[in-house]
Amino acid sequence: MSINGQPEKVENIYLTTLNEILDSIAPQNDLELSLNSILKILAKDLHFQRAFLAIMDPKSEKLKLSITHSPAKIDHVTYSPGKGVVGRVYETGQAVVIPRMSENTDFLNKAFGRSDEELKSLSFICVPIKKGNSKEDHNVLGTISVDSPILPMDNLLEHKQFLEVVAALISNQVSRLQEEMALQAQMLSQGPLLGGQEVPPPANFVATSKSIKQVLRQARQVGPSRATALLRGESGTGKELLAEAIHACSPRRDKPLVKLNCAALPAELVESELFGHQKGAFTGAYQNKRGLFEVANNGTLFLDEIGELSLDAQAKVLRAIQEKEIQRVGSEHPITVDVRLICATHQPLEKLLKEGRFREDLFYRVNVFPIFIPALRERREDILPLAEQFLEIFSKEYDKNIKRISSPAIDLFTQYHWPGNVRELKNCLERAVLICEEEVIRTYHLPPTLQTAESTATDTSLSFGEAVAKFEQELLVDSLKKARGNMLQAARDLRVSYRIVNYKVKKYNIDVKKYTGAKKNK
């Protein structure tokens, strides 16, 4: 072999190719793009004319031509186990090398419609992709195949051995893709959700922005299945509320939804909380205790901040997912459980993977259906509806007659960057309701962080006189809204004469008529 016209050892070419492939299989990369990239690398570095993956479809139990970097002439090609070269490799779990395609009667030439010239000038190599490091034939997930220029048999066998290494490297990615295929098939079998219409939000869930409506749509898609959902987003974005929404539209809605914040307990207590313990298992274990996996049996378990679990606890959670069995601390007897898992985290799990703080096999298990919840600053259309909802809730709770939020206060709400997201907004409204002695939430009822926060929408170059005039105008508009355009009533509320209000209205060119139809409590 040669590169750029210079001879190079085959071992060096394989090593270079292997390094490129390892860079392509990072967990955060898109599955199909990552696998397609690997096929391109193989074709480029080893001069294969084609490289493609066929993956077993769990629903039809046939191999599907799933990914290829060179276009196929027939879409939706399938291979039956035992039929043709690809089907034989899948059924036996043994690789096959064909020195010349035209001389093998088992070669079906289904997908690419190779010409007679190609069939005479190309070799074919097909190797199985097995689950994990399994050597059992029935654990084959699919196959990886290549069209190679005709080479001596020794060279083809070296290619075959290298492809077997590649197949072992990508088995986790192929397994994840197979799970996604199964989940997609399950969703399609349930029919389209609401005909593509917008999904109404569950109770107490405000969804005005397009981004949060998409999040709700994803929740409704994954809800009816038993697939594990991974909710990702900053703290305070509403991951727990979304978990409740997923559980509410699942077949387990009448069974318990059990919640655990993995960051709220010391590491040594998390395992006891999740899996339970036997009496006498450790100091303080005075009686048998059921773990949350047992409590949630036949229902849903929500693990918030799953990235905080210790590696030992992660291994046990993985076993509970895979084997549907748990073992209490201090017990030798396994307990069978049937639990649907929803996980959440604000941490970059991909970074934890690289640091060795999160198990790769668990990541693939919980990341079957990831849902990313945007930060509040990225969906500003939701800020005011959320604020009004919290105002109503806390006004009732604290028996206050607060009817609305003033316009200047609304401006502060929409300009602030909300690092604490919806949780911070909720706390802000609760504080404002507690200290407010009027019918309106005003700027001075808000926390200092909102009053002093800089905003890109705020002109910091205003002079003192201009700033005062702006505040005066906002105060006047707020009073006119409350008085529904009645300037005499606005003057009474502001405790000034009608003449001054009339003068200011003309000075600031305020259109009083547009407030005459305003509702009193808005």
Side-chain angles (χ1 to χ4, degrees):
M1 287 190 183
S2 65
I3 293 181
N4 296 327
Q6 298 297 320
E8 182 174 342
K9 290 183 178 180
V10 174
E11 293 83 354
N12 292 344
I13 298 173
Y14 287 151
L15 186 60
T16 301
T17 305
L18 198 58
N19 284 330
E20 290 184 62
I21 288 172
L22 288 172
D23 288 338
S24 297
I25 58 176
Q28 67 269 24
N29 292 348
D30 178 86
L31 277 178
E32 291 196 34
L33 291 177
S34 177
L35 291 170
N36 189 271
S37 174
I38 289 168
L39 297 179
K40 287 182 179 178
I41 291 168
L42 287 171
K44 172 178 67 70
D45 290 1
L46 300 177
H47 309 292
F48 295 141
Q49 185 162 331
R50 295 181 184 87
F52 62 94
L53 289 174
I55 300 174
M56 170 55 70
D57 177 15
K59 184 180 179 183
S60 66
E61 295 186 353
K62 289 188 175 184
L63 285 155
K64 279 188 174 181
L65 175 64
S66 298
I67 299 176
T68 174
H69 80 282
S70 54
K73 292 193 175 181
I74 304 174
D75 294 331
H76 310 299
V77 175
T78 59
Y79 303 88
S80 299
K83 301 288 181 67
V85 179
V86 173
R88 177 151 51 98
V89 170
Y90 174 79
E91 187 174 64
T92 64
Q94 302 297 317
V96 169
V97 177
I98 298 176
R100 192 184 301 270
M101 294 182 187
S102 61
E103 296 177 358
N104 190 287
T105 55
D106 289 338
F107 192 76
L108 299 178
N109 193 22
K110 292 181 69 173
F112 300 99
R114 301 169 184 85
S115 66
D116 290 340
E117 290 75 13
E118 284 184 304
L119 292 173
K120 292 176 182 177
S121 61
L122 291 174
S123 302
F124 187 72
I125 306 171
C126 182
V127 301
I129 303 170
K130 298 186 179 182
K131 192 172 184 179
N133 294 318
S134 173
K135 295 183 180 179
E136 298 179 34
D137 297 345
H138 65 269
N139 274 330
V140 177
L141 300 169
T143 63
I144 180 169
S145 307
V146 298
D147 289 7
S148 168
I150 290 179
L151 296 169
M153 193 61 179
D154 287 347
N155 295 112
L156 292 176
L157 290 175
E158 287 176 350
H159 280 339
K160 183 209 67 156
Q161 290 175 342
F162 180 71
L163 288 173
E164 287 174 332
V165 173
V166 174
L169 282 174
I170 66 174
S171 64
N172 279 335
Q173 278 73 17
V174 172
S175 178
R176 288 167 58 201
L177 190 59
Q178 190 181 60
E179 288 178 356
E180 288 188 4
M181 289 166 61
L183 179 61
Q184 186 179 23
Q186 183 177 10
M187 291 175 184
L188 291 174
S189 68
Q190 295 163 354
L193 293 170
L194 299 181
Q197 299 173 8
E198 290 184 351
V199 179
N204 300 324
F205 202 108
V206 171
T208 302
S209 64
K210 288 183 179 179
S211 58
I212 206 68
K213 285 178 180 176
Q214 174 62 21
V215 166
L216 277 177
R217 191 172 291 112
Q218 290 176 305
R220 289 292 177 95
Q221 286 176 328
V222 76
S225 73
R226 61 171 295 114
T228 302
L230 178 62
L231 313 183
R232 307 192 66 169
E234 296 179 7
S235 294
T237 49
K239 295 188 285 292
E240 184 176 337
L241 198 59
L242 188 64
E244 293 174 359
I246 292 173
H247 175 73
C249 62
S250 76
R252 300 168 182 250
R253 66 179 66 88
D254 297 326
K255 303 296 182 180
L257 169 63
V258 181
K259 306 172 187 176
L260 175 67
N261 187 330
C262 301
L265 290 174
E268 59 271 15
L269 294 181
V270 169
E271 289 188 42
S272 173
E273 194 71 22
L274 281 174
F275 308 110
H277 61 251
Q278 292 294 106
K279 180 179 179 181
F282 50 83
T283 303
Y286 300 117
Q287 58 185 9
N288 293 343
K289 178 188 175 183
R290 291 197 307 161
L292 296 184
F293 267 95
E294 285 184 76
V295 176
N297 192 32
N298 296 318
T300 303
L301 177 60
F302 174 55
L303 296 182
D304 198 2
E305 298 304 343
I306 192 173
E308 298 289 343
L309 284 178
S310 67
L311 290 173
D312 286 342
Q314 290 176 32
K316 293 185 178 181
V317 169
L318 179 64
R319 182 193 174 196
I321 298 172
Q322 290 179 330
E323 309 296 334
K324 297 184 180 179
E325 282 185 354
I326 62 165
Q327 204 165 300
R328 290 180 181 177
V329 177
S331 172
E332 297 178 355
H333 303 291
I335 300 171
T336 302
V337 291
D338 177 16
V339 172
R340 197 271 179 86
L341 201 62
I342 301 175
C343 303
T345 183
H346 78 282
Q347 298 191 70
L349 292 185
E350 296 79 8
K351 182 180 178 183
L352 299 185
L353 277 176
K354 291 180 180 179
E355 295 172 354
R357 294 162 54 198
F358 200 84
R359 294 177 62 103
E360 186 177 11
D361 45 10
L362 180 60
F363 175 80
Y364 293 139
R365 280 290 177 180
V366 301
N367 197 42
V368 175
F369 198 98
I371 301 178
F372 293 83
I373 307 176
L376 187 57
R377 61 183 170 276
E378 296 170 1
R379 49 184 178 105
R380 295 190 177 274
E381 307 98 304
D382 294 326
I383 293 175
L384 186 55
L386 279 166
E388 290 176 339
Q389 182 192 66
F390 293 142
L391 174 62
E392 182 180 354
I393 290 170
F394 292 122
S395 293
K396 289 179 180 177
E397 183 175 342
Y398 297 116
D399 197 24
K400 295 286 189 83
N401 186 30
I402 304 175
K403 296 179 178 178
R404 61 189 179 88
I405 303 170
S406 70
S407 295
I410 289 173
D411 289 341
L412 287 183
F413 279 131
T414 55
Q415 292 168 10
Y416 185 55
H417 61 289
W418 298 107
N421 292 295
V422 179
R423 185 182 294 122
E424 184 182 7
L425 176 61
K426 183 178 180 180
N427 294 342
C428 176
L429 262 298
E430 184 173 13
R431 175 189 184 275
V433 168
L434 280 170
I435 65 176
C436 181
E437 300 296 337
E438 311 170 40
E439 293 185 349
V440 181
I441 298 291
R442 303 193 184 276
T443 55
Y444 48 79
H445 296 131
L446 305 181
T449 50
L450 265 72
Q451 298 184 43
T452 59
E454 292 185 2
S455 167
T456 55
T458 304
D459 188 355
T460 56
S461 63
L462 291 176
S463 67
F464 178 74
E466 288 170 333
V468 170
K470 185 178 179 182
F471 177 73
E472 189 177 58
Q473 183 178 351
E474 289 175 346
L475 197 61
L476 183 57
V477 167
D478 196 40
S479 296
L480 287 168
K481 282 182 180 178
K482 180 182 176 183
R484 288 179 289 179
N486 187 325
M487 290 196 294
L488 185 60
Q489 183 60 47
R492 291 195 192 102
D493 292 341
L494 293 170
R495 300 181 214 174
V496 295
S497 67
Y498 174 83
R499 183 179 63 80
I500 291 177
V501 169
N502 189 45
Y503 168 74
K504 297 291 184 182
V505 164
K506 291 179 180 178
K507 177 183 177 181
Y508 298 123
N509 196 27
I510 297 172
D511 184 5
V512 177
K513 291 181 181 179
K514 72 178 184 179
Y515 303 118
T516 55
K519 294 182 181 179
K520 191 171 183 180
N521 61 348
K522 289 286 181 186

